[in-house]
Amino acid sequence: MTTTVMNKIALKNPFKFREDEAVPTLTPEQMDAFGVELDAIRARVIADLGEVDREYLYKIVRIQRRCEIAGRALFYLPVIGWLPAVAALSVSKILDNMEIGHNVMHGQYDWLGDPDYNSRVFDWDTMAPAENWKYGHNYMHHTYTNIVGKDRDVGYGILRMAEDQPWRPYYLGNAAYAFGLMMLFEWGVGVHDLEVDELVAGRRTWAENRDIGARIWKKVKKQVTKDYIMWPLLTGPLFPLTFAGNFTANIVRNIWTFNIIFCGHFPAGAQTFTIEECENETRGHWYYRQLLGSANISGSKLMHVMSGNLSHQIEHHLFPDLPARRYPEIAAEIREICERYDLPYNSGPLHRQLGSVFAKIVRLSFPTPRRKVTAVTEVTAAPMAA
């Protein structure tokens, strides 16, 4: 079998990124076989779901609730408890956002039959209304992952995160916009589906946003009332400290989630795609795009739990409806399949992935240098199993 290699491009740039290197593609037959192998993994895991997965979810929920109770209680002891209170509440919010909310709303636990953890009714402790998020994330992002012009998570409408996004002077502020988005990430995700950039460009109308905006307004009122009025009032004269504690816990959660999510799609080596490249896409090519457009973060079990197992972003994008706790156990198998098909498996420690993300944000602040095509080559693919 042969593998056709895309145009190999030499980029005269002080920053050398792996996405500038050649990326192997597969023949149609290889694509089909690749898809069949991944479908088999998904079917096997689904057949094995059961009590262990149920107990894992309930255990995480118990830990999250205990952390929140501890945090709320410690706000009554500001002299010795403010920092521990913020820490406990931050952990609670991160678990609620990542390992519980994100994964439950993906439908990963719909099979339980537990109405409290069904994706149709579950809502989480952030500004983003569940219904809006499920359309913008579950459908748009996971269907059109890293397709520039289709996946609005490529830059979130305010950043330049791919060279295929035309440069304009506005992007000189790329790093500043990214910092602002990181600090206010729950707000950014909350208003994401308004597509403000499309409104400004005249390609979207306010009428199209009426229902989306109504849901956002309802959720914002609920969150602001809870975090900045109700809970502070319940601590009486400690209102300012509790207010500040809730605000700080939300910021901590925002910073953590921003960094985990950006490391999942924008570190060195993560690929973007054009709309034309994905026309008439087969099941195998969809898997191939999810693989190349995602990246993992290596680390401890605690780090994986706190990331909602989105540290296994590759496995999540291949199988978004499988319980995330299953991703670590199938990661080695996915990596082995990638090696047989001579496909890259992008994984690295947090500091390395994060460093390359921020380098990319800075680099794409400026116009992309002209590329020089040096060769078009063919190579023999690595031997594959049938």
Side-chain angles (χ1 to χ4, degrees):
M1 293 184 182
T2 61
T3 297
T4 302
V5 177
M6 296 171 62
N7 292 350
K8 191 166 185 176
I9 296 169
L11 186 63
K12 293 182 178 180
N13 194 294
F15 300 98
K16 184 64 177 175
F17 289 89
R18 282 182 288 167
E19 62 264 40
D20 301 328
E21 300 172 355
V23 177
T25 60
L26 305 179
T27 65
E29 293 76 16
Q30 288 175 314
M31 284 287 187
D32 290 343
F34 182 64
V36 168
E37 289 205 50
L38 295 181
D39 276 343
I41 292 174
R42 180 175 183 277
R44 189 190 70 221
V45 174
I46 288 177
D48 188 51
L49 295 179
E51 191 61 26
V52 176
D53 303 277
R54 181 197 310 271
E55 282 304 312
Y56 176 82
L57 174 64
Y58 292 168
K59 178 182 176 182
I60 294 295
V61 170
R62 287 195 298 271
I63 293 172
Q64 181 267 323
R65 289 176 177 172
R66 289 169 183 169
C67 287
E68 180 169 9
I69 291 170
R72 301 294 181 198
L74 286 169
F75 278 131
Y76 289 93
L77 304 170
V79 176
I80 60 172
W82 193 85
L83 282 177
V86 172
L89 192 58
S90 298
V91 171
S92 166
K93 285 178 175 288
I94 287 170
L95 288 175
D96 179 89
N97 195 154
M98 306 292 276
E99 187 68 317
I100 301 172
H102 172 273
N103 294 337
V104 168
M105 291 198 294
H106 258 293
Q108 294 180 3
Y109 293 96
D110 285 0
W111 57 273
L112 283 177
D114 185 336
D116 290 338
Y117 302 104
N118 188 288
S119 61
R120 292 185 179 182
V121 297
F122 189 89
D123 201 359
W124 54 359
D125 181 25
T126 82
M127 295 293 178
E131 188 172 345
N132 291 359
W133 183 86
K134 284 184 286 188
Y135 175 79
H137 182 85
N138 285 5
Y139 174 64
M140 293 299 292
H141 171 58
H142 275 271
T143 302
Y144 303 110
T145 305
N146 280 25
I147 300 177
V148 177
K150 296 284 284 187
D151 180 5
R152 288 189 50 77
D153 282 20
V154 178
Y156 289 86
I158 60 174
L159 300 174
R160 184 172 185 243
M161 295 305 299
E163 293 176 356
D164 289 337
Q165 291 175 271
W167 183 86
R168 48 195 169 92
Y170 163 84
Y171 289 121
L172 288 171
N174 223 28
Y177 311 145
F179 179 78
L181 180 61
M182 178 176 69
M183 300 302 290
L184 302 172
F185 195 55
E186 68 165 326
W187 291 88
V189 174
V191 301
H192 185 49
D193 295 291
L194 290 175
E195 301 187 17
V196 175
D197 57 318
E198 295 294 300
L199 276 174
V200 173
R203 295 187 291 266
R204 188 175 178 86
T205 67
W206 283 106
E208 294 176 273
N209 276 345
R210 184 176 298 115
D211 292 341
I212 296 171
R215 288 192 287 269
I216 293 172
W217 178 237
K218 181 179 179 181
K219 189 67 186 291
V220 166
K221 285 193 295 184
K222 176 183 176 182
Q223 292 299 110
V224 169
T225 300
K226 176 177 70 68
D227 277 347
Y228 301 118
I229 299 175
M230 186 191 77
W231 283 116
L233 280 175
L234 287 174
T235 54
L238 301 174
F239 182 102
L241 289 174
T242 306
F243 182 99
N246 287 343
F247 176 80
T248 304
N250 282 327
I251 294 295
V252 170
R253 186 265 317 277
N254 290 346
I255 293 172
W256 177 252
T257 54
F258 172 94
N259 285 308
I260 293 298
I261 290 169
F262 269 60
C263 284
H265 289 299
F266 305 120
Q271 304 295 315
T272 56
F273 305 85
T274 66
I275 294 173
E276 292 75 19
E277 287 173 328
C278 303
E279 289 178 345
N280 302 316
E281 191 172 56
T282 64
R283 177 72 169 169
H285 191 276
W286 183 86
Y287 278 130
Y288 166 85
R289 176 164 55 81
Q290 301 297 333
L291 168 72
L292 296 185
S294 305
N296 284 5
I297 308 168
S298 57
S300 67
K301 185 176 181 180
L302 177 61
M303 194 278 289
H304 294 318
V305 171
M306 294 302 288
S307 73
N309 277 296
L310 292 180
S311 49
H312 292 87
Q313 192 74 239
I314 291 174
E315 286 72 25
H316 174 58
H317 264 266
L318 294 174
F319 311 115
D321 59 345
L322 292 185
R325 65 169 296 271
R326 295 284 188 152
Y327 297 152
E329 73 182 41
I330 61 176
E333 195 171 356
I334 301 298
R335 186 189 288 266
E336 185 273 331
I337 291 173
C338 289
E339 288 175 356
R340 278 194 283 115
Y341 284 83
D342 198 24
L343 294 173
Y345 185 91
N346 190 340
S347 182
L350 180 62
H351 69 274
R352 192 179 80 192
Q353 302 291 56
L354 199 55
S356 68
V357 167
F358 284 106
K360 177 183 286 187
I361 289 171
V362 172
R363 179 173 67 102
L364 293 179
S365 299
F366 303 99
T368 302
R370 293 181 59 186
R371 294 178 169 184
K372 179 182 178 182
V373 177
T374 57
V376 178
T377 59
E378 270 195 0
V379 299
T380 301
M384 295 191 309

